[in-house]
Amino acid sequence: MFVVFLGAPGSGKGTQATSLAEKYGLVHVATGDLLRDAVRLGTELGAKARGYMERGELVPDDLVVAMVMDRLSQPDAARGVVMDGFPRNLDQARALDRALRERGLAVDLVIYLRVPDAVLVSRLAGRWECPSCRTPYHEVSSPPRVAGKCDRCGQPLVQRPDDRPDTVRRRLQVYLEQTAPLLEYYREQGVLVEVDGDQPIPEVSRQIVAAVEALKRGGPRG
Ligand code: AMP
């Protein structure tokens, strides 16, 4: 099973992709996390990607596509994949389709998390995460049990540098210009399922699982 999450920054892709991957034993591939790891480790990729990420721009396709292909060629990816943050433009979507076709696979399901802009902005502004296990938190809607500490591993929580208001505005603009056209691309392929992402997390999860179950039954997809 190959599932792609689409949605603006702050739409809940990371949260939902993590729990979906856990539930079905799939591999969660989050390009933002892979790139942040590369920056933290000071790799060549990290050095090239850093400036784009800080400005809220997309990292060039050749770098991101190579990184994703490398990840997909690792043995665990054969279990099935939940992609989060990729593809982010049409060229990336076509590169993914080509790579999957070569392996006799295809994107089976695209979950689009629809969330109003005003909600996205407030979510991103209050967002914190654990730098170690990546558990996401929000000051208001899902605070940690102990202020500033991860519930799972006790690490001090951090805010992403690209969650600053000016960068958030740019990321939303980039999403609208470059990523939103993918909705039409996947709708035409008949694999797009739209989910209202402005609901409590368990309800969003329930609807996503329902879409996966419908896919497994071979029923209608959208
Ligand atoms: P995310 O964690 O998915 O919001 O990604 C954080 C940042 O990483 C983005 O603002 C981009 O700079 C970069 N990034 C993540 N995924 C991609 C991608 N598929 N293509 C280009 N840049 C990406």
Side-chain angles (χ1 to χ4, degrees):
M1 186 160 44
F2 202 101
V3 181
V4 168
F5 272 86
L6 265 189
S11 60
K13 296 189 299 294
T15 301
Q16 295 297 339
T18 302
S19 68
L20 189 71
E22 263 173 30
K23 183 173 171 65
Y24 288 97
L26 306 170
V27 174
H28 176 202
V29 178
T31 46
D33 286 347
L34 293 175
L35 289 166
R36 278 185 289 280
D37 285 345
V39 170
R40 204 170 12 247
L41 294 170
T43 66
E44 199 183 325
L45 169 65
K48 287 180 181 159
R50 185 181 191 145
Y52 296 99
M53 296 173 77
E54 281 172 357
R55 292 191 300 276
E57 304 288 342
L58 294 186
V59 174
D61 289 345
D62 55 338
L63 299 177
V64 177
V65 169
M67 177 184 81
V68 169
M69 294 312 146
D70 183 53
R71 183 65 190 86
L72 294 184
S73 63
Q74 288 169 32
D76 62 346
R79 296 208 307 259
V81 172
V82 179
M83 290 282 338
D84 157 12
F86 183 94
R88 257 183 158 95
N89 62 30
L90 279 169
D91 284 340
Q92 293 183 8
R94 293 191 188 106
L96 178 63
D97 278 350
R98 264 195 311 276
L100 291 177
R101 211 176 306 124
E102 279 166 15
R103 295 168 163 84
L105 301 170
V107 172
D108 298 301
L109 180 65
V110 177
I111 306 278
Y112 166 45
L113 296 178
R114 190 174 13 89
V115 175
D117 282 359
V119 176
L120 296 171
V121 172
S122 81
R123 280 189 187 177
L124 293 170
R127 179 159 86 166
W128 292 79
E129 71 172 12
C130 173
S132 166
C133 72
R134 309 271 192 214
T135 303
Y137 296 90
H138 189 276
E139 283 167 11
V140 180
S141 56
S142 54
R145 283 195 293 271
V146 177
K149 293 251 164 72
C150 179
D151 291 349
R152 288 196 185 178
C153 58
Q155 286 280 319
L157 302 179
V158 295
Q159 261 190 316
R160 283 172 43 171
D162 59 350
D163 280 346
R164 289 200 328 264
D166 51 336
T167 316
V168 163
R169 272 194 297 278
R170 181 63 193 141
R171 286 165 63 208
L172 291 175
Q173 196 182 3
V174 166
Y175 169 78
L176 280 179
E177 287 168 8
Q178 303 193 45
T179 311
L182 293 181
L183 295 174
E184 202 43 46
Y185 180 82
Y186 286 122
R187 197 173 282 127
E188 277 173 13
Q189 291 191 9
V191 291
L192 187 77
V193 171
E194 233 177 276
V195 172
D196 176 1
D198 190 15
Q199 305 181 86
I201 292 172
E203 179 53 24
V204 177
S205 302
R206 197 191 62 71
Q207 294 184 12
I208 292 170
V209 167
V212 171
E213 290 299 322
L215 170 71
K216 285 171 66 172
R217 287 195 304 273
R221 290 175 175 188

